[in-house]
Amino acid sequence: MKNLITLHSGAAAVAVKDPWELVDTQEGEAAPGASGSAYRILPLSDWRQLSEVAAKRSEATAEPMGVLLHPDDDPADLAPWIDRIALIALEFPSFRDGRAYTQAFVLRSRLGFRGELRAIGDVLRDQLVAMRHCGFSSFAVRGDRSAEDALKGLAGFDLIYARSVACPEPLFRRRLRAGEPGESDQPGT
Amino acid sequence: MYKYDEYDRALVQARVAQFRDQVARRLSGELSEEEFVPLRLQNGLYLQRHAYMLRVAIPYGTLSSVQLRTLGRIAEQYDRGYGHFSTRQNIQFNWIELEQVPDILQLLADQEMHAIQTSGNCVRNITTEAFAGVARDELLDPRPLAEILRQWSTVNPEFLYLPRKFKIAISSSETDRAALRAHDIGLYLYPGDEGEMLLRVMVGGGLGRTPILNEQVREALPWRHLLTYVEAVLRVYNRHGRRDNKYKARIKILVKALGVEAFAREVELEWEQIRDSAGQLTLHEYQRVAQGFRVPDYERLDALDADFGAWLARDAAFARWVQTNTRAHKVAGYSSVVLSTKPAPTADQSTAPGDLAAAQMYSVADLADRYGFGEIRVAHEQNLVLPDIRKRDLYALWKALVSIKLATPNIGLLTDVIACPGGDFCSLASTRSLPVARAIQQRFDNLDYLHDLGEISLNISGCVNACGHHHIGNIGILGVDRKGEEFFQVTLGGAQGKNSSLGKVIGPSFRAEDIPQVIERLLETFVRYREVEEPFIETLGRIGAGPFKESVYSGPDESTNPAQIHTHSRKGEAMA
């Protein structure tokens, strides 16, 4: 994919080359990407068919697995395969549609997904910080916008009070660790 | 009051810098208006009919005198000399230039204020009642948990693009004065058998075009689980709330669609997975925040003050004001005072409910310093409150308030009208609500009559978005556009508080000029059927809406009501 920002150990950079390709197929048997790339991201339904076929042959597919979830897909459907999936792409049909933030939280915090979590669709500079907090690790910036420019979005303000995937402790626990006196946490009021 | 620490300060300062950059990018054309809209909304900036409007958050309605002076300065320097207090305990400035917004936000940030999330599809300003911490009928102080919620919901990255706006209120008084049941989440705080803090969680309320009172999903939730439980509700809503139709996107529609039991099950399932997470509150944090709401240094006073008693006997106008505009305080010798922003209009002066001039803001700040502990509250009825006033100072304070026109003795009475800014300002409004409010205040300016009528709430909304909360007014007025003409629909029987209910429409709508006459007939009916000191809402409950409807619709009673009332029928022709 082009126009992509990736995070590596916390540092964000525009990706020079990215092997992944979104495969839009309704035909069941997904064909290899146009460029012949083995790094294919399949919509959940296609991907599920493919993985069932693979499961029947009781063999793990050799190629890396990438899955695309639409906002109304349930991330829990991926639970059985979560350790074998290399990349999950979550779609923002509009940047105002915030369902993928919750999907990302569930994938990371509940299902323990450790692979690459990619934001695709209406992905813009001013939402990248929130996405990063929720566990996204790469951002396919909308085609008409520059990824170089969007990168600035990740350099900006990212303080939060609540907890997030990137920041698993809420500020009231972080404050304590930052050197306030120890907690006297007795039951009751 | 809660004081910002270095984290709180850093956050609002960083936010100002961020928005300054976004405004610059908008002005240069780098950001399209479509992309800018949610960003500016989450910083409180609306584009209204004539100009930008900036809505500044007043968390749970609490202001210091320093902050109120800052608001006055903004009104003077960046607006036309006044501000408008809203039903969400916030303040709105109606005539703002986009270029100046970053500077205004900077002024706010320097005084520990912000405009974050006062609009947009996110968690809005957390509200409670204006008398929190001082009311005599309060069980527990809701403010520390309100502040904890404010912090948690501010820029919470998972919940910034919800299906629709999300309003949370918390209250802990015998009579709920925070309209809890009209909120997306209403939290009622009460003590358990061992004095521990518990919460009743009610979800799915809201006014707007589909008014619904929320329903209980959880009883006796220990306070430590406040944030995880709210998180669970929001996660279920963010995943499953409708996004295909903005009028069906509030959580109330989801709760109705699933049924409250099924919805509660979803929430509980989600909550079970996070209840013991790092999101669980700690006593340390509660105590840290609660320090900001320590009991001020009250004097030990007698419950009765001789001078105060003497002035009550000597000055009838003062006595009347004390009766309507002061509230019982939990400390002997003190009162809470309500400042009415709703004086009777005069020929040369007429202000909207909730409007305050900069000079008045400065004066109120001075009075709060002089007679109180430098604190001011904003009531959701769009009035201000000085929470801690010695009874012995009431007379001097009253004199001062009279001179700045904030002593109208009409709190809780008919002319204490709640109204949205309406079509004079708002681009959503289909009608102008303020002229109707003014006409009612003008017609019913006889204080004796108002006092005889007793408690009546009257709410006016300029459109179905219901910012004037007309559904929960005893008398509700809703502006509707009929082929380019303004008409007003009347509802009866709405109420907030422990016995919350939604008003019902009495029949065809009326022209604006007939509304005072309609109100008069409703009041005459009330007086005719009223038993002793019965409040309006009880008489209505006892006799039903029938006699009221009849008085308005079944032709003028020539002897008492010579005026014709024009209504709007479905076919569009006016009828008598």
Side-chain angles (χ1 to χ4, degrees):
Chain A
M1 290 177 83
K2 287 178 182 154
N3 215 30
L4 184 77
I5 295 172
T6 54
L7 293 178
H8 289 289
S9 16
V14 175
V16 184
K17 206 170 166 219
D18 176 72
W20 291 98
E21 266 183 40
L22 268 183
V23 178
D24 184 22
T25 163
Q26 303 298 320
E27 292 108 56
E29 186 74 11
S35 61
S37 169
Y39 290 79
R40 293 178 298 158
I41 306 172
L42 299 176
L44 180 62
S45 53
D46 294 337
W47 184 87
R48 207 188 259 140
Q49 281 188 8
L50 205 67
S51 50
E52 273 163 15
V53 172
K56 268 188 203 136
R57 293 204 297 256
S58 67
E59 62 190 37
T61 43
E63 61 186 77
M65 294 196 282
V67 191
L68 167 67
L69 294 189
H70 290 291
D72 42 13
D73 290 334
D74 186 353
D77 290 352
L78 293 176
W81 300 282
I82 206 77
D83 293 330
R84 291 161 52 201
I85 300 171
L87 179 145
I88 298 174
L90 299 180
E91 192 195 3
F92 289 84
S94 151
F95 73 93
R96 280 183 241 86
D97 185 334
R99 286 176 287 180
Y101 295 105
T102 284
Q103 288 176 317
F105 171 85
V106 170
L107 282 166
R108 291 292 197 205
S109 300
R110 193 154 302 157
L111 302 173
F113 177 61
R114 289 172 179 282
E116 184 171 339
L117 192 55
R118 180 170 296 187
I120 68 163
D122 200 8
V123 176
L124 300 170
R125 168 174 164 175
D126 293 287
Q127 286 77 41
L128 296 188
V129 162
M131 292 177 188
R132 179 173 61 192
H133 263 300
C134 293
F136 285 94
S137 54
S138 63
F139 315 89
V141 177
R142 200 173 81 189
D144 62 335
R145 293 300 155 110
S146 137
E148 290 288 348
D149 178 66
L151 205 50
K152 293 179 201 154
L154 285 166
F157 161 49
D158 74 341
L159 304 171
I160 59 167
Y161 287 103
R163 69 200 172 108
S164 73
V165 172
C167 192
E169 294 207 309
L171 181 61
F172 60 81
R173 292 184 190 272
R174 282 177 271 143
R175 263 195 184 101
L176 281 174
R177 286 200 284 111
E180 283 194 24
E183 187 172 353
S184 60
D185 207 16
Q186 302 303 315
T189 58
Chain B
M1 270 182 66
Y2 177 79
K3 299 299 284 179
Y4 277 18
D5 72 359
E6 75 241 52
Y7 293 97
D8 302 307
R9 274 192 292 274
L11 191 139
V12 291
Q13 294 289 344
R15 177 70 167 215
V16 174
Q18 181 192 45
F19 193 58
R20 194 179 288 281
D21 169 66
Q22 288 165 343
V23 169
R25 283 157 57 214
R26 173 71 198 111
L27 292 171
S28 75
E30 201 182 316
L31 267 178
S32 70
E33 182 60 17
E34 193 238 339
E35 289 162 19
F36 184 57
V37 168
L39 305 178
R40 68 165 160 79
L41 290 179
Q42 298 216 354
N43 285 286
L45 194 62
Y46 281 79
L47 187 55
Q48 296 219 313
R49 190 152 290 193
H50 311 289
Y52 280 103
M53 178 272 276
L54 180 68
R55 182 184 291 154
V56 175
I58 302 176
Y60 36 92
T62 298
L63 281 172
S64 70
S65 53
V66 177
Q67 290 174 329
L68 184 57
R69 284 189 196 96
T70 304
L71 296 176
R73 187 175 154 198
I74 292 168
E76 234 171 13
Q77 207 169 324
Y78 298 96
D79 201 311
R80 298 188 178 173
Y82 67 96
H84 173 79
F85 290 97
S86 77
T87 53
R88 205 142 188 83
Q89 299 180 301
N90 291 320
I91 186 167
Q92 305 185 164
F93 297 104
N94 283 312
W95 307 93
I96 296 295
E97 302 286 345
L98 176 60
E99 293 81 347
Q100 296 184 319
V101 173
D103 293 340
I104 300 174
L105 296 181
Q106 185 64 57
L107 275 178
L108 293 172
D110 292 345
Q111 298 306 335
E112 309 188 353
M113 286 186 284
H114 61 75
I116 301 170
Q117 289 168 227
T118 53
S119 176
N121 294 334
C122 49
V123 180
R124 302 288 190 87
N125 189 34
I126 310 296
T127 55
T128 181
E129 63 150 306
F131 305 99
V134 297
R136 195 174 284 169
D137 70 343
E138 183 173 86
L139 308 173
L140 296 162
D141 188 347
R143 292 172 301 167
L145 291 179
E147 172 61 24
I148 285 169
L149 267 174
R150 179 194 75 83
Q151 297 188 10
W152 177 86
S153 58
T154 299
V155 294
N156 188 320
E158 190 182 336
F159 304 124
L160 292 174
Y161 294 93
L162 297 170
R164 198 75 178 86
K165 61 186 171 185
F166 202 89
K167 299 177 176 181
I168 304 177
I170 179 167
S171 162
S172 184
S173 53
E174 293 284 355
T175 24
D176 157 33
R177 286 177 288 258
L180 283 191
R181 296 209 53 208
H183 282 76
D184 294 283
I185 296 182
L187 297 163
Y188 185 70
L189 176 67
Y190 61 98
D193 293 338
E194 261 118 67
E196 72 278 23
M197 294 192 293
L198 299 175
L199 293 155
R200 179 177 307 136
V201 183
M202 296 164 283
V203 182
L207 298 175
R209 60 185 71 200
T210 316
I212 296 177
L213 297 175
N214 56 24
E215 293 182 77
Q216 182 178 314
V217 297
R218 189 45 125 117
E219 180 74 348
L221 180 77
W223 65 273
R224 280 166 191 270
H225 297 300
L226 169 66
L227 299 183
T228 51
Y229 207 86
V230 172
E231 179 178 328
V233 171
L234 277 168
R235 188 162 294 129
V236 168
Y237 173 51
N238 196 34
R239 284 185 72 172
H240 301 295
R242 284 182 64 171
R243 290 176 188 265
D244 58 328
N245 179 343
K246 78 178 262 199
Y247 301 117
K248 296 191 185 325
R250 292 281 293 271
I251 197 173
K252 62 193 175 186
I253 305 293
L254 179 65
V255 174
K256 278 282 171 223
L258 291 176
V260 70
E261 287 83 15
F263 174 80
R265 269 198 305 279
E266 284 284 323
V267 171
E268 292 280 325
L269 272 176
E270 175 60 38
W271 181 57
E272 280 306 321
Q273 309 195 56
I274 55 173
R275 54 178 289 176
D276 300 319
S277 69
Q280 190 183 119
L281 272 168
T282 62
L283 182 62
H284 185 275
E285 173 66 359
Y286 181 82
Q287 288 170 338
R288 184 188 75 82
V289 174
Q291 269 187 2
F293 303 99
R294 267 186 313 218
V295 177
D297 293 328
Y298 290 116
E299 282 175 45
R300 291 178 70 89
L301 299 170
D302 291 333
L304 300 173
D305 182 86
D307 284 348
F308 169 62
W311 281 119
L312 278 182
R314 214 175 305 162
D315 193 326
F318 173 62
R320 170 178 281 165
W321 174 81
V322 168
Q323 191 199 334
T324 50
N325 291 33
T326 66
R327 295 290 178 269
H329 198 287
K330 60 168 71 160
V331 176
Y334 282 83
S335 279
S336 296
V337 172
V338 189
L339 283 52
S340 172
T341 69
K342 301 155 191 180
T346 56
D348 57 341
Q349 204 193 5
S350 153
T351 56
D355 275 7
L356 218 65
Q360 289 175 306
M361 294 185 209
Y362 297 142
S363 301
V364 171
D366 292 344
L367 293 171
D369 284 338
R370 180 158 175 202
Y371 295 112
F373 297 98
E375 192 175 316
I376 301 100
R377 309 284 182 83
V378 183
H380 84 87
E381 294 89 351
Q382 305 176 285
N383 294 311
L384 296 185
V385 171
L386 295 175
D388 305 294
I389 304 296
R390 285 177 296 241
K391 284 185 176 164
R392 77 157 77 109
D393 291 333
L394 282 173
Y395 192 71
L397 175 66
W398 173 68
K399 286 277 188 194
L401 291 173
V402 168
S403 71
I404 56 171
K405 299 194 166 70
L406 291 173
T408 310
N410 63 348
I411 301 304
L413 307 183
L414 183 75
T415 54
D416 187 7
V417 172
I418 295 178
C420 69
D424 291 304
F425 296 96
C426 178
S427 49
L428 300 174
S430 37
T431 62
R432 288 164 300 142
S433 45
L434 295 180
V436 176
R438 201 174 302 136
I440 292 169
Q441 287 171 326
Q442 237 149 15
R443 165 82 72 117
F444 303 98
D445 64 347
N446 181 325
L447 284 170
D448 291 327
Y449 181 59
L450 288 175
H451 281 254
D452 288 345
L453 291 174
E455 269 190 42
I456 301 180
S457 58
L458 192 150
N459 297 48
I460 309 176
S461 301
C463 76
V464 288
N465 291 308
C467 298
H469 300 171
H470 64 277
H471 301 111
I472 54 171
N474 297 164
I475 300 175
I477 299 177
L478 165 67
V480 287
D481 177 275
R482 301 270 192 246
K483 296 182 178 158
E485 238 188 307
E486 291 186 346
F487 278 86
F488 292 85
Q489 203 173 61
V490 173
T491 53
L492 283 183
Q496 61 161 318
K498 277 283 158 64
N499 299 311
S500 290
S501 60
L502 299 171
K504 292 197 177 69
V505 178
I506 61 169
S509 50
F510 309 96
R511 290 182 193 282
E513 62 265 28
D514 291 327
I515 286 290
Q517 180 68 14
V518 171
I519 303 295
E520 190 155 324
R521 289 192 192 172
L522 294 174
L523 295 176
E524 282 164 6
T525 308
F526 162 53
V527 171
R528 192 174 312 141
Y529 288 95
R530 183 187 201 185
E531 285 178 1
V532 275
E533 297 281 277
E534 203 174 41
F536 180 85
I537 191 75
E538 285 179 21
T539 307
L540 175 66
R542 187 166 50 75
I543 67 174
F548 291 92
K549 289 183 191 174
E550 208 169 309
S551 74
V552 174
Y553 291 110
S554 56
D557 170 352
E558 296 297 335
S559 59
T560 54
N561 293 312
Q564 294 273 307
I565 291 177
H566 304 90
T567 59
H568 183 275
S569 76
R570 291 237 169 259
K571 287 178 192 128
E573 75 263 15
M575 57 185 203

